[in-house]
Structure formats: C-alpha cells, structure tokens
Amino acid sequence: MRLDGRGLQQLRAAPGRRQDRPGRRLHPGLPAAARGLAERADDPAGEDQGPGHRSPAVIDSALVVDKGVTARDEWITVPADRIRDALSALKKDGYRLLVFLTCVDHLVDASREFPGRYEIVYQLRDLEKPMDLRVRAFVDGDPPRIDSVHDIFPPANWDERETYDLFGVVFAGHPGLTRILMPDDWVGHPRRNTRSGRHPPTRLDVIESPGVTVTRTGEHGAFGGELLTVNFGPHHPSTHGVLRLIVDLDGEQIKRVEPVIGYLHTGIEKQMEALRWQQGVVVTDRHDYLSPPINNLAYALAVEKLMGVEVPPRASALRVIMSELTRLSSHLVWMGTSGLELGAMSMLMYCFRERDLIMDLNEEISGFRMHTSYIRPGGVMADATPRFLEMLDKFIREMPGHVDEYEDLLTMNPIWRSRTIGIGRLPAEDAKVLGATGPMLRGSGVAWDLRKAIPYSGYENYDFEVALSNDCDCYGRYLVRIKEMREAVKILRQALDKLPDGPVNVDDRKMLPPPREELETSMEAVIHHFKLFTEGYSVPPGDAYVAVESGRGENGCYIVSDGTHKPRRVKFRSASFVNLQALERMALNHMIADMIAIIGTADTVLGDCDR
C-alpha cells in the first residue's frame, strides 16, 4: 500500500465518522479548504466559521473588518489605525481585562492569505459574563507600527515592550519602549521569521558598565535628604530568582521601583516552533519550574481544543490530581522560603517535609520528581499505579494536620503579623486594572478563580470554595494560600474517591501511537506508528487560547497552527510576568525592609516571567 505524506495528514476522522480500526481501509478526509461552511459548522474543533457567524461584542461595524469563531474562540479583526478606538469601545462594553498582547509573524505561513505580515493579537476578557474576545490587527512595514494602548489597558505596558523587543513592532505613544527580555545591546529582533528558515546573524555589542550599586539622583526627598538609587538584586536571595529592582530611596522609604527582568530568558517559546507538537510538552515543564504539570495542562488543552478532541474522564481526573498536588507543592515552596526570609526559620523544614512527599508521588506516577511531562495532548503519560493511589490516600489523610501546624507557627505569630499586616496593600480595583490574577487578586477580595469561572478538566464537578481575603495586603495573600491548600486537599479526596475506570488517552491513532499488540496484526497501525514517530501529527490551521489556574494565577497558552506538524507560534501567558508589574504600586512609601515581604507574597517565578 502506498500513501503520500499529504494523504496521511488527512487521516483524521471527520465528525461522526468512526475511527479507523485494524482491518478497515483508510479513509482520507477532505482538506479543510475543500469543505463547505455547513460541514465546518459541525466541526468539533469549531474551525473558522467565517465573518457571518455572529457579532461577539457591541462595537461599531465600521471598526470591524472581519469576525468569526475559531476553535470556539470568538475573534474580530480591526484596522490597525483604529485599534485604540476599537479597544476603548470594547472596554466600555465590559471587556476590562487585557489577558495578553502578542505578535505572530506570518512571513513564511502559506496556510492562508493574511492582510499583513505581522498580526498583533489582543486577548480581552469580560470578568462579569465571563467571556473572552480576541482582537486582531495586521501591520506591515520596517519597522511595523501601531498605536500603544498602555493607557487603556495598563498590563499592555510590558507586553508591548516584549513585542517590540522580540518582533520589532513599534508602539507609538509608549512611554518607555525599550527592550525587556533581551540585553540592551542586542542587535536585531530574534522572533522575526525569515524565508530561508534561518535567522540572520545577530550580535551582542558588549558595553562596559561600572555597575554602580548606589548612586545619587540629585533629587531631594521629603525628609530633606538626597534620594539614592539602589540596585536590589539581581543576585539577592530574597528576589526569588534573578530579579533586579532599581529602587529610589528617601532614607529607607521607597519612592520609585523599576523591575528589570530578562536574566533567565531562554527563548522557550521560540524553541517550541522547532519541535513537533508532541515534543513541546517537555519544554512546557521548564518555564514555571514550580508548576510543571499545570504548564503541561495549559498546553495540552490548547492543542486538544484546536484539534477538537476530549480526553476520557479518567484522564481528566488524573490531570486534576496532578494539578492540585502541584498547587500544594508550589505553595509549600512559597511558604517555606517566605518564612525563612521574614524570621520564621523552621518553616522551611516543615514545608519541604511535605513537598518531598509530593515529589515521591510525582516519581511514582511519572518516573520524575519535578519535570514530569506527565500531562500530554490526548491524555496522560501513563495510568496511576496502585502504589500511587495508596500513597495519595495516605497523603490526603495526613495533610490537613500539617496545614494546622503551619498555621500554629505563622497565623498568630507576632513577628510574621507585624511584617505582613498592612504591608504591600493592593486594593481590589487596582488589582483588576493591573491584570493581577491568582492569590494576588483573591487576596484583594476579588473572587476570581478559573477553576470556578471558566471550568476545565471537569472542575465543575468538584465541591470547593474560592479562597478569598479582603485584607488586600501581604497577610491577606498568606491567608488565601493557606485556604487554597485546604481546598486542594478537598479536591484531591473527591478526585481519588470518584476516580472513574477506563482509558487514560484518546482512542485516536492519528494523535497517539497504537497499542503494541495492534502492531502485530494491523498494517494501518504500523503506518500510524511510523508517521507519528517520524513526522508527528498535524494540527488544523487556526489559533486557540486556554487558561488554567496555577499557584501564581492565570497560566495561559496561546497556540497558532499553520496545519503542519510544528506550531507556528506558541505564547505562554505568564502569571508572574503580569503580577510583577504591580510591585511598584504595592511598595511605594514602604520601608526597604518591607520589599522582602512584598516580593515574597507576589510569588513570582522568574523562569516563568522571562520564559
């Protein structure tokens, strides 16, 4: 039997068609371009429905060039020169949160025609409904230009700097459009594509710098003294990673803070473009290195959304179990290190005692203690072993008592309370305007948790409460994490007790390899196996965004496919990257010693921030 590569890429079963089985003839489907709108409307992946689908928001029709739905995500295209008008109108219509802003370079994307080379993508959200809307604008030129929207959506400040840094897009009106991830003396924009597939040589012009730790500003503070500029980090142990803060001090009082990031930028998103869809899982482990399975989950859900597949119930339950274990592990690292920094030295030993048990569980189910790569598109790596289930049951029974121990040590501890109560205040409205998520947002009294608001992986079937505090300070964020640990144990108990039987991967030979026993009896299984391990599966053209709730907040994954076996673009919406922008708002007029607690309760992971 002879099949060319194009035919094998089209082996995905159409809606309503039975999957290929041993002994059945292969039935290549029609390419997407040959299917009519009527058939595409039934596509489980929700492929592009065309501009006549429905209006996703109340907005002047003159501002909308095109609109539609792709993989159940609503989108509109607006003229680049009217982007501020369009986003202002949408904000008035209820889309008050900018989830992320990014760019896609379509130079070598032959899957379809585009109005311009650079697609600027704005993911907006209405927190009340809740509902997401993707806004696109296309630009050309060298350099490409578009108006800044940092004054409409403050979180766009760093996103625009990142897009300028990596793609060279100039945002007119931005107050400080400088590099943010690459060194200041880097030449070129590393995320731009080239027709040859290779990037032109780039160079680093080394600039000698004296690296002064303390400098005089010449300005006078409220106490009559001169303001001093101090470098806090990047190698200070209390910055929770390689973070540098340029701090202006009036005596010991903070007057300005400028975070400087990029020291851990490893080009993870760019690496994803060189890997097949299934290979990218191992890379997702490593940006938020305290939440590898949750990173896996965001990526897997995005790929599954674009492919229109759903994993079996047992796989969803195992994903929930691994996610909640990861949440506990992340909070334990935060609590242990924060206690160490603020004087509760023994907290580190208590917290790492239980974290080591979670690492044992990771090792039992995946073979790895930290970077498990356990959750994958189409399901999970392997089923849970009986020993894993026994270990998990014992852990669930003992963990509530350990959380009681943590509270005995910290909640009423006078030193802990004096270092956190009233420190790093972030009012609810400021938290929403700045795009904060996770304990940063819930610690300001806003009951927003993606597991409740936009459920995924069956979270709607679990009984748990959203951890909340109205204190709006470091102590409130501590209380939120304590309650989240208790709620995570409740979810784990329900998931274990109700763990369904059945497979842990989708029954789709075009996405996952067939069982070994089929290879001995089915030529079709051999072909699928060969194609998966030499070329990989292909994802339908389009884009999709999925967000999950990590220990730090919204961990999102935006993927763009051109119909091949490798992604065209992968963007990770980092909770650390967004939450860190609120640091100055929380630190102003506090003492320099309070910076330790403020950075700690933000719980940023710099690998997640820099990617």
Side-chain angles (χ1 to χ4, degrees):
M1 180 170 59
R2 182 178 179 184
L3 292 171
D4 62 13
R6 180 181 297 273
L8 282 168
Q9 285 185 17
Q10 298 166 359
L11 291 178
R12 171 161 305 284
R17 180 184 296 170
R18 295 172 59 188
Q19 298 288 349
D20 297 317
R21 292 290 184 269
R24 292 177 60 84
R25 181 172 298 177
L26 296 175
H27 297 285
L30 289 173
R35 296 200 298 266
L37 283 177
E39 182 177 349
R40 291 165 67 190
D42 296 328
D43 188 346
E47 287 192 31
D48 185 355
Q49 305 291 317
H53 180 63
R54 65 188 176 99
S55 177
V58 178
I59 184 173
D60 186 356
S61 59
L63 295 176
V64 179
V65 176
D66 198 3
K67 61 186 176 184
V69 177
T70 302
R72 303 190 303 277
D73 288 353
E74 296 182 352
W75 57 266
I76 61 173
T77 301
V78 303
D81 58 354
R82 301 291 303 278
I83 188 64
R84 288 181 57 84
D85 295 336
L87 294 187
S88 296
L90 288 168
K91 186 174 183 179
K92 292 178 182 177
D93 191 41
Y95 292 91
R96 301 184 184 280
L97 174 65
L98 175 69
V99 181
F100 69 85
L101 180 161
T102 192
C103 177
V104 183
D105 184 355
H106 292 294
L107 177 65
V108 292
D109 188 348
S111 63
R112 54 194 185 278
E113 294 293 329
F114 296 95
R117 172 178 172 178
Y118 299 98
E119 178 184 351
I120 314 301
V121 180
Y122 305 80
Q123 185 80 12
L124 306 182
R125 177 172 298 150
D126 185 332
L127 294 173
E128 301 298 327
K129 293 184 179 178
M131 180 185 295
D132 278 19
L133 173 66
R134 190 170 305 131
V135 180
R136 317 172 190 268
F138 291 87
V139 293
D140 279 310
D142 191 14
R145 294 179 178 273
I146 193 170
D147 287 337
S148 171
V149 296
H150 76 279
D151 52 335
I152 303 173
F153 294 106
N157 188 328
W158 280 17
D159 277 336
E160 290 179 348
R161 287 180 60 191
E162 179 184 316
T163 304
Y164 162 74
D165 190 3
L166 302 182
F167 291 91
V169 178
V170 174
F171 292 88
H174 191 285
L177 196 63
T178 57
R179 293 193 182 275
I180 189 169
L181 296 180
M182 304 302 292
D184 291 338
D185 40 11
W186 185 268
V187 178
H189 303 284
R191 295 303 307 275
R192 285 188 175 183
N193 293 325
T194 62
R195 295 194 182 278
S196 65
R198 298 181 178 180
H199 289 276
T202 54
R203 70 181 190 275
L204 186 64
D205 293 336
V206 179
I207 299 175
E208 295 294 333
S209 172
V212 177
T213 303
V214 180
T215 58
R216 297 176 180 272
T217 65
E219 300 179 46
H220 289 279
F223 303 112
E226 189 174 359
L227 294 185
L228 295 180
T229 299
V230 177
N231 274 323
F232 193 98
H235 298 297
H236 195 289
S238 295
T239 58
H240 290 246
V242 192
L243 169 66
R244 177 188 175 200
L245 301 173
I246 302 176
V247 186
D248 282 359
L249 295 176
D250 182 7
E252 292 189 38
Q253 196 174 67
I254 299 169
K255 291 302 179 183
R256 277 192 296 269
V257 179
E258 180 187 348
V260 180
I261 63 174
Y263 294 96
L264 284 182
H265 177 60
T266 55
I268 280 178
E269 294 176 0
K270 186 62 180 177
Q271 292 178 46
M272 299 285 286
E273 297 176 10
L275 300 173
R276 296 195 291 270
W277 290 98
Q278 63 267 47
Q279 293 175 323
V281 174
V282 297
V283 178
T284 65
D285 279 323
R286 289 162 171 80
H287 63 91
D288 181 354
Y289 41 74
L290 293 183
S291 304
I294 293 180
N295 303 341
N296 299 162
L297 181 58
Y299 175 70
L301 288 174
V303 175
E304 291 160 4
K305 185 176 183 179
L306 203 51
M307 296 187 74
V309 300
E310 291 187 9
V311 299
R314 186 175 179 87
S316 291
L318 289 173
R319 288 177 168 188
V320 168
I321 288 172
M322 293 301 291
S323 295
E324 295 309 309
L325 286 173
T326 301
R327 194 179 321 280
L328 283 166
S329 174
S330 176
H331 286 347
L332 288 170
V333 172
W334 167 79
M335 189 180 302
T337 54
S338 293
L340 185 69
E341 292 159 359
L342 299 184
M345 310 289 286
S346 56
M347 279 305 303
L348 186 70
M349 304 303 176
Y350 281 86
C351 292
F352 271 63
R353 176 188 63 188
E354 277 68 68
R355 181 176 181 266
D356 199 59
L357 297 177
I358 297 175
M359 297 296 102
D360 291 341
L361 286 163
N362 287 347
E363 186 175 13
E364 175 62 28
I365 199 170
S366 71
F368 295 90
R369 294 181 65 81
M370 192 166 177
H371 296 140
T372 63
S373 298
Y374 179 72
I375 299 173
R376 305 177 179 188
V380 295
M381 186 202 76
D383 202 351
T385 64
R387 183 169 180 266
F388 172 84
L389 300 178
E390 293 173 5
M391 294 168 62
L392 179 61
D393 181 66
K394 183 174 184 290
F395 176 82
I396 293 170
R397 283 187 278 107
E398 295 176 352
M399 191 62 192
H402 296 316
V403 180
D404 292 339
E405 286 182 313
Y406 309 150
E407 287 222 70
D408 290 342
L409 288 166
L410 288 183
T411 301
M412 299 306 295
N413 184 312
I415 297 176
W416 178 262
R417 290 169 64 88
S418 66
R419 294 295 304 273
T420 56
I421 292 178
I423 304 299
R425 288 191 57 80
L426 186 66
E429 192 57 36
D430 288 355
K432 289 190 286 187
V433 168
L434 293 170
T437 55
M440 287 274 289
L441 183 62
R442 294 189 289 276
S444 295
V446 181
W448 176 265
D449 188 317
L450 287 166
R451 296 171 296 173
K452 284 282 190 182
I454 311 176
Y456 55 91
S457 296
Y459 268 107
E460 64 274 15
N461 301 319
Y462 296 91
D463 179 24
F464 67 99
E465 297 178 5
V466 175
L468 200 65
S469 171
N470 293 314
D471 292 343
C472 304
D473 57 10
C474 291
Y475 190 73
R477 294 187 278 277
Y478 155 74
L479 293 177
V480 165
R481 290 186 174 95
I482 283 287
K483 186 170 183 180
E484 278 193 4
M485 294 171 72
R486 296 189 184 278
E487 296 302 311
V489 175
K490 285 173 54 178
I491 295 172
L492 286 170
R493 171 52 66 192
Q494 296 171 65
L496 179 60
D497 291 346
K498 300 176 182 178
L499 185 64
D501 296 326
V504 295
N505 286 302
V506 296
D507 186 17
D508 188 342
R509 301 296 180 262
K510 322 303 184 302
M511 189 174 186
L512 294 174
R516 181 177 295 274
E517 56 270 17
E518 280 190 22
L519 298 178
E520 300 176 358
T521 60
S522 170
M523 184 61 185
E524 296 168 10
V526 174
I527 294 172
H528 288 312
H529 188 278
F530 176 78
K531 293 296 290 184
L532 282 172
F533 284 96
T534 57
E535 182 181 284
Y537 53 80
S538 298
V539 175
D543 58 349
Y545 176 71
V546 171
V548 299
E549 189 73 32
S550 79
R552 267 150 291 286
E554 180 166 342
N555 183 335
C557 183
Y558 172 66
I559 61 172
V560 180
S561 172
D562 56 5
T564 64
H565 59 284
K566 294 180 180 179
R568 169 58 53 197
R569 174 80 167 97
V570 176
K571 159 72 176 177
F572 294 113
R573 193 275 185 190
S574 159
S576 300
F577 183 81
V578 179
N579 289 346
L580 191 58
Q581 296 180 63
L583 185 62
E584 183 175 44
R585 174 65 183 83
M586 294 188 292
L588 286 181
N589 298 318
H590 283 297
M591 307 298 283
I592 185 65
D594 295 328
M595 183 73 77
I596 307 300
I598 295 169
I599 295 173
T601 56
D603 192 22
T604 54
V605 170
L606 270 298
D608 182 38
C609 185
D610 296 348
R611 288 155 286 124

